[in-house]
Amino acid sequence: MSGQSSRTVGQILRANVLTRFNALIGALCALVLVFGSPIDALFGLIIVVNSAVGVIQELRAKRTLDRLALVGRAPVRVRRDGKEVEVAPEQVVLDDVVLLATGEKAPVDGDVVESDNLEIDESLLTGESDPVDKAPGDRVLSGSFAVAGSGAFRATKVGDDAYAAKIAADAGRFSLAHSELYQGINRFLGLLTWVIVPVGALLVIAQFTRGSSVSDAVIGSVAGVVPMIPEGLVLMTSVAFAVGVIRLGRRRCLVQELPAVEVLARVDTLCLDKTGTLTEPGMRLRAIEPMPDQDEERLRAVLAALVQADERPNATLQAVGAAVGPAPSWPVREKQAFSSARKYSGADFDGHGAWLLGAPEVLLPDSAEASSSEASSSEASSGAGSSGAGSSEVSSSEAASSDARDRASALAAEGLRVLALVSAPSLSTSDGRSPMALIVLEQKLREAAPATLKYFGEQDVTVKVISGDNAAAVGAIAGQVGVPGSRDPCDARTLPDGGDDLADAVERHAVFGRVTPHQKREFVRTLHSRGHVVAMTGDGVNDALALKEADLGIGMGSGSGATRAVAKVVLLDDDFSVLPSVLAEGRRVLANIERVANLFLTKTAYSILLALAVGVAQLPFPFLPRHVTLVASLTIGIPGFFLALAPSNERARPGFVPRVLRFAIPAGIACAAATFVAYALARAVGGTSLAADRSTATLTLFLVAWWVLLLVARPLNGWKIGLLAGSAGAFALVALVPPLARIAALSVTDPGNDAIGVLCATAAATALTWVVAKLRR
């Protein structure tokens, strides 16, 4: 299985050189070289420029992606020659013994050889929602990941033979697929193919049947067909994406799929996990609060033993273990690994009893459960002729549980993480559990979190905090960093399973606690059902399902391998404050590509309309290819390149295709109408040559196209005004300096023709400005 995150150099060259646009333009360029002047074939340079720019930018993006992918990719632990070593995923070979622990992803298929309460989540592959217990001999599929326990399996299928090899390869590739922007552009190109062919044919027939020489007919036809092709639109889009990847790469943000830059620009709901996102990844033990009559030193020994019993303790157990000291040598009869679904772990020690450590709400019964349990106990005691001593004992235990729960809730309301240490008759029964202590941990808030969340609020992005921790604790943390609605946290265990009630609750609340991994995924689906574009951040294995389901999964570099594998964006330095930059980069790409699309499709529109008008009127085509190249370069190609890479803070809006068409069609009509009227009037007035009439048409087209550029570039600032001035100055230089004018075949020295062109252009520009203003309203 390849670890490659981008296309190969050969694929990049083929994708940028062997295109249908390059083939068509190359053929037209060859015709001009055979029948006309080499100067008229200058438009053929667009093949070289487009291909070179596309290749260079994608190679730069490839280097950035590949370098970051090596840093961000999770290594695989294997046992070779009795030693544990780390290798790259593609270096796993047949019969390797691959080691798995909570949060690690299986890179290949295999058979389990060791299992220490190993539970595997295969939902990303099979759709099965519940984790699967794995015993020796059971099968492990590549792409699945461990959610509890640890174990090892022997690799039986590697590379392309592995179950998820193709899926994993497709997910990690430098991909331009599944992009709303690209889909919109491809729709344009598909429609244009059906239009360009018949209109081009009409133009060719008209030029050949009006009595022109073969040379003039070929040159006129080429001049009409070339501008119909939006040859730079796909290039500019690819360049904008590639530059976005490079810019984010400099911030240590790995974009594993190009459209991710675009998707975040459309996000209106950002779901955050508390741990590792709002808070720093680590935590520390603040206090151990024993229940009455409990010895703290003994409880510390129990905690140390629980930590030692877990071969790969999670961050919580590590924090506890660092504070309680060395562990006693207690033999372990049975143990239960922690999972996000259970929210607790435990071990049964020979001679020291069974102990559980986890969420107080799960391990300690609430008041309703206590009442039910008390009634059951009373009935049992009455049936046995008991004097009621048993009932009194149960009530005492329930009272202790109630007190512990109340204290845990009070601590959680301060933003602290609270665990319950519970003794039990065995790990397999929920009866007879007694609270022994509360374990209080604290986490440090990220300094940049308040400013980052404030930014998202200003950008109309709704923030929802979704965590597996206590709801009150999550609400307290969210309140400290300024999440709106944090005073009304919701315990996810009280939510309905689905439907409109769940959707209403998810819409209404901003902070959720005690959320299971599958609930997180259901939350994302519910938000989708209400029309939201959802981004999800996370670092733990419990976030992987939701990250996969979200429109944009954002993983942390220090997070689990499973999380990084499904995320489309990975923050390699766990720097949550980078997210505003990602949002801004996405919005820059979308806003600028829309501007560029407006320019290119305006050119296509006026070219098609001019070809139709000339074909029907049986006139010589109003331009030579060099005229088309000059106008397109100064009003579209060169300005479009700068606009595609410009800074922009415009918010993303739906409806890319209709919005571009609403601008490009009126703009194309204005350009075509002004140009054709000016050309026709110049021809009708008489006394001027075809070359002079073509110069009038070129002047008119440039003026209207320049005005279109001005409308597209708004709002104007210093550099945009400079860009517009440079475009106008360059055209004036070519038109008025005799040597350049001769090369460009321009003659704008006839006052009558020039006046016609300026008047037609002014009228069209005025009408277009009014129409655009009406359409925007």
Side-chain angles (χ1 to χ4, degrees):
M1 192 160 41
S2 172
Q4 196 167 16
S5 62
S6 59
R7 295 195 285 192
T8 65
V9 174
Q11 289 172 331
I12 291 172
L13 288 172
R14 285 194 297 273
N16 285 279
V17 176
L18 303 180
T19 68
R20 55 183 174 181
F21 289 141
N22 283 356
L24 180 55
I25 293 173
L28 296 174
C29 182
L31 286 174
V32 172
L33 289 173
V34 171
F35 291 100
S37 167
I39 297 176
D40 284 323
L42 287 176
F43 67 85
L45 291 176
I46 193 66
I47 297 175
V48 179
V49 175
N50 279 3
S51 300
V53 171
V55 168
I56 291 170
Q57 291 292 0
E58 192 165 340
L59 285 175
R60 288 180 64 199
K62 170 185 166 60
R63 284 196 298 270
T64 301
L65 276 171
D66 289 351
R67 184 176 66 251
L68 294 178
L70 288 175
V71 177
R73 188 170 48 172
V76 178
R77 298 182 302 121
V78 298
R79 187 183 298 144
R80 292 177 178 173
D81 300 325
K83 296 181 180 179
E84 180 181 321
V85 296
E86 291 187 346
V87 300
E90 66 271 16
Q91 293 176 339
V92 178
V93 298
L94 286 174
D95 292 329
D96 262 342
V97 175
V98 181
L99 306 179
L100 277 185
T102 302
E104 293 181 334
K105 179 185 173 187
V108 296
D109 295 356
D111 296 327
V112 176
V113 294
E114 299 172 13
S115 176
D116 184 5
N117 296 286
L118 179 63
E119 296 179 25
I120 298 287
D121 192 311
E122 299 176 344
S123 58
L124 296 178
L125 304 173
T126 65
E128 173 60 43
S129 60
D130 294 326
V132 180
D133 294 325
K134 294 293 183 179
D138 290 343
R139 187 184 181 197
V140 173
L141 299 175
S142 57
S144 59
F145 53 92
V147 293
S150 60
F153 67 94
R154 189 176 304 280
T156 58
K157 291 183 179 180
V158 299
D160 293 337
D161 293 332
Y163 184 84
K166 186 175 185 302
I167 298 174
D170 289 342
R173 189 171 295 137
F174 185 86
S175 169
L176 300 182
H178 312 301
S179 162
E180 184 176 331
L181 195 59
Y182 269 94
Q183 289 171 354
I185 290 172
N186 286 332
R187 283 175 60 190
F188 288 137
L189 300 182
L191 292 171
L192 290 176
T193 301
W194 291 99
V195 174
I196 288 175
V197 172
V199 173
L202 172 64
L203 179 63
V204 171
I205 293 170
Q207 295 301 298
F208 274 96
T209 56
R210 58 171 298 277
S212 302
S213 66
V214 172
S215 176
D216 289 342
V218 169
I219 298 302
S221 300
V222 170
V225 172
V226 166
M228 296 182 194
I229 306 167
E231 69 284 341
L233 181 55
V234 175
L235 166 75
M236 294 297 182
T237 306
S238 300
V239 167
F241 272 130
V243 171
V245 167
I246 294 168
R247 286 176 173 172
L248 292 174
R250 291 172 183 159
R251 292 179 172 271
R252 302 280 293 167
C253 178
L254 170 59
V255 180
Q256 304 201 91
E257 295 184 19
L258 278 183
V261 176
E262 169 195 344
V263 174
L264 189 51
R266 303 185 188 282
V267 163
D268 60 23
T269 305
L270 176 62
C271 299
L272 304 174
D273 182 40
K274 175 182 72 69
T275 306
T277 304
L278 301 182
T279 61
E280 299 286 353
M283 63 186 74
R284 72 180 186 87
L285 181 66
R286 176 169 175 170
I288 297 174
E289 296 192 2
M291 295 295 103
D293 301 326
Q294 295 300 318
D295 178 38
E296 183 173 341
E297 287 303 315
R298 178 170 180 266
L299 297 177
R300 284 180 174 271
V302 171
L303 290 169
L306 285 172
V307 174
Q308 188 179 54
D310 195 319
E311 291 184 0
R312 293 180 65 86
N314 58 23
T316 303
L317 280 181
Q318 289 176 20
V320 172
V324 296
S329 301
W330 291 357
V332 179
R333 289 189 298 198
E334 182 185 0
K335 59 183 176 180
Q336 194 166 47
F338 177 84
S339 77
S340 299
R342 275 192 301 269
K343 301 193 182 301
Y344 67 85
S345 60
D348 189 346
F349 301 104
D350 191 6
H352 299 277
W355 297 83
L356 302 171
L357 181 66
E361 302 95 316
V362 176
L363 292 178
L364 305 178
D366 61 21
S367 57
E369 291 171 343
S371 299
S372 174
S373 175
E374 183 177 357
S376 299
S377 299
S378 298
E379 290 174 8
S381 299
S382 298
S386 170
S387 63
S391 175
S392 175
E393 183 179 336
V394 171
S395 297
S396 174
S397 174
E398 288 160 358
S401 294
S402 178
D403 291 343
R405 282 177 56 84
D406 291 343
R407 176 58 179 162
S409 297
L411 290 168
E414 299 176 18
L416 299 169
R417 187 168 192 176
V418 185
L419 303 177
L421 178 63
V422 174
S423 67
S426 71
L427 299 181
S428 58
T429 179
S430 60
D431 295 330
R433 292 177 179 174
S434 299
M436 295 289 122
L438 294 178
I439 315 303
V440 186
L441 301 108
E442 59 184 0
Q443 294 173 285
K444 182 181 178 182
L445 289 176
R446 289 188 180 274
E447 291 184 4
T452 303
L453 294 174
K454 180 181 177 182
Y455 172 84
F456 282 115
E458 292 170 348
Q459 299 300 315
D460 293 336
V461 176
T462 301
V463 173
K464 293 188 182 293
V465 182
I466 301 175
S467 175
D469 288 351
N470 175 278
V474 180
I477 293 291
Q480 292 175 40
V481 295
V483 175
S486 57
R487 293 185 178 181
D488 184 27
C490 175
D491 189 322
R493 295 174 302 163
T494 65
L495 293 174
D497 291 335
D500 289 338
D501 290 341
L502 176 62
D504 291 340
V506 173
E507 289 267 26
R508 185 170 61 252
H509 293 281
V511 178
F512 299 87
R514 294 305 178 207
V515 185
T516 67
H518 292 282
Q519 275 184 312
K520 287 188 178 185
R521 179 167 63 176
E522 193 60 34
F523 281 14
V524 174
R525 288 175 174 171
T526 297
L527 289 167
H528 283 161
S529 71
R530 292 293 174 93
H532 295 290
V533 180
V534 183
M536 175 83 190
T537 71
D539 62 347
V541 64
N542 58 316
D543 301 316
L545 299 176
L547 262 62
K548 184 70 174 178
E549 189 70 30
D551 297 283
L552 184 69
I554 304 170
M556 300 294 173
S558 65
S560 70
T563 303
R564 281 181 284 172
V566 299
K568 293 183 177 69
V569 173
V570 179
L571 307 181
L572 294 176
D573 292 336
D574 296 349
D575 188 359
F576 174 58
S577 64
V578 171
L579 284 183
S581 299
V582 181
L583 176 66
E585 194 62 38
R587 290 184 170 179
R588 182 194 65 78
V589 169
L590 257 66
N592 292 342
I593 291 305
E594 185 167 323
R595 288 194 177 97
V596 171
N598 283 332
L599 291 177
F600 277 98
L601 293 175
T602 294
K603 177 174 73 96
T604 297
Y606 71 63
S607 301
I608 291 173
L609 293 172
L610 276 173
L612 281 170
V614 169
V616 172
Q618 294 287 300
L619 292 172
F621 197 74
F623 307 114
L624 293 173
R626 68 189 77 176
H627 298 148
V628 173
T629 302
L630 176 66
V631 173
S633 297
L634 295 180
T635 61
I636 299 170
I638 296 172
F641 185 81
F642 287 100
L643 290 175
L645 303 180
S648 175
N649 291 318
E650 291 186 30
R651 298 178 182 178
R653 296 172 293 162
F656 168 75
V657 172
R659 198 163 51 249
V660 169
L661 289 177
R662 280 199 302 271
F663 180 89
I665 291 176
I669 292 172
C671 289
T675 302
F676 184 77
V677 169
Y679 177 60
L681 288 175
R683 296 289 291 166
V685 169
T688 54
S689 64
L690 176 60
D693 297 339
R694 280 176 165 165
S695 296
T696 299
T698 303
L699 172 64
T700 307
L701 178 60
F702 173 80
L703 291 174
V704 186
W706 183 88
W707 189 256
V708 170
L709 174 62
L710 183 148
L711 294 177
V712 167
R714 294 184 303 178
L716 299 180
N717 54 27
W719 74 265
K720 289 180 182 177
I721 292 172
L723 183 66
L724 289 164
S727 172
F731 183 83
L733 192 68
V734 172
L736 299 176
V737 175
L740 296 178
R742 283 194 297 273
I743 294 173
L746 284 178
S747 175
V748 290
T749 56
D750 185 289
N753 278 3
D754 295 346
I756 290 173
V758 171
L759 286 173
C760 289
T762 301
T766 303
L768 176 61
T769 304
W770 181 83
V771 169
V772 168
K774 293 288 284 185
L775 289 174
R776 284 182 175 173
R777 282 200 296 269

